[in-house]
Amino acid sequence: KIDWMGGDWWYLTGQGLSAYEGGAGGYSEGHWGVGVLSPSWKNWNLYGEMLIGAGGGGGVDSGSALLYKPSIGLGYNLSDDFSLQTGIGKVISKEGNLNANTFDLSLVWRFGTPK
């Protein structure tokens, strides 16, 4: 996952993932979308994302491969450069039977270009 911060409260995101076992080895997804961040309160903040993309393979019924992926989550800032995030969401196929819950746990590293 990589995000580009467009401002203090919104960002653009690109995400990709692949399965290597669990009955769906070879399944892959790629998404683009937008996210929003709440103001920080005592190092905590909320986020929400809506993504659209494609996915398929591994015997997963993703139909035409068009996927939607909404999610919400909670982050805790460890420092200016690092934070922990956890989130829940869904990945939903427009035409196939794929409709799965997701859980995300991430260590976030913020980096940028000098100004």
Side-chain angles (χ1 to χ4, degrees), residues 4 16 33 37 90 104:
W4 175 78
L37 288 170
K90 292 194 78 71
D104 182 306

Side-chain angles (χ1 to χ4, degrees), residues 76-115:
Y76 182 77
N77 295 319
L78 300 169
S79 69
D80 288 341
D81 296 327
F82 292 98
S83 64
L84 296 173
Q85 277 187 344
T86 187
I88 57 172
K90 292 194 78 71
V91 58
I92 305 161
S93 172
K94 182 177 185 290
E95 295 176 359
N97 291 321
L98 178 59
N99 185 344
N101 297 321
T102 62
F103 173 75
D104 182 306
L105 181 61
S106 305
L107 173 63
V108 177
W109 173 42
R110 290 180 196 85
F111 62 92
T113 57
K115 294 183 180 186

Side-chain angles (χ1 to χ4, degrees), residues 15-19 24 26-32 51-69 91-99:
Q15 302 178 12
L17 62 93
S18 292
Y27 175 78
S28 293
E29 295 178 4
H31 302 274
W32 292 101
L51 293 83
I52 189 168
V60 175
D61 182 8
S62 60
S64 67
L66 180 60
L67 304 175
Y68 302 99
K69 193 172 182 183
V91 58
I92 305 161
S93 172
K94 182 177 185 290
E95 295 176 359
N97 291 321
L98 178 59
N99 185 344

Side-chain angles (χ1 to χ4, degrees), residues 44-56:
W44 294 93
N45 69 317
L46 299 172
Y47 72 90
E49 296 178 342
M50 177 53 99
L51 293 83
I52 189 168

Side-chain angles (χ1 to χ4, degrees), residues 4-12 35-37:
W4 175 78
M5 298 304 298
D8 292 336
W9 62 272
W10 71 278
Y11 58 95
L12 299 177
V36 294
L37 288 170

